[in-house]
Amino acid sequence: MPNLVATATALASAERPSRLVELAGEADMTSVHLKDVLDAEVAASPPLLVLDLSRLTFMDSWALHTILAAARKLRGSGGSLALAAPPAGIRRVLELSGADTLVDVHASVQEAAGPRPG
């Protein structure tokens, strides 16, 4: 069983169609599934890709690089990537690496996706 589970779904948003990737477990250099999922999502060129980090327990530099590379590719096609609900340890990695200055980090998936219809 992989240490990381990554699932992708559509995310309804009042502002724009979005995609959500939920990450659970440990994201490290053995998590090839992370790169595969992000590559597939980026290839679809969504206006917004939200990564829900709320169930992520560990992230190494390879996983961080993979996420930042996906963000860079999305920006190149006019889209954006946002990180949602990182636990304290993951948020610390984002801050120490400066990644929080390269991608938007939000307290929740709802905040990252923007206002909902209705």
Side-chain angles (χ1 to χ4, degrees), residues 16-55:
R16 56 193 166 185
S18 307
R19 296 287 295 169
L20 173 67
V21 173
E22 297 175 277
L23 302 178
E26 297 182 356
D28 61 28
M29 62 188 279
T30 66
S31 307
V32 177
H33 182 60
L34 173 63
K35 183 173 181 344
D36 293 344
V37 168
L38 292 180
D39 284 349
E41 291 299 315
V42 168
S45 298
L48 174 65
L49 178 59
V50 177
L51 300 187
D52 179 355
L53 306 181
S54 62
R55 298 185 325 159

Side-chain angles (χ1 to χ4, degrees), residues 65-88:
H65 171 78
T66 301
I67 290 168
L68 293 176
R72 187 172 46 253
K73 289 176 190 171
L74 269 177
R75 272 193 307 274
S77 65
S80 63
L81 183 141
L83 305 177

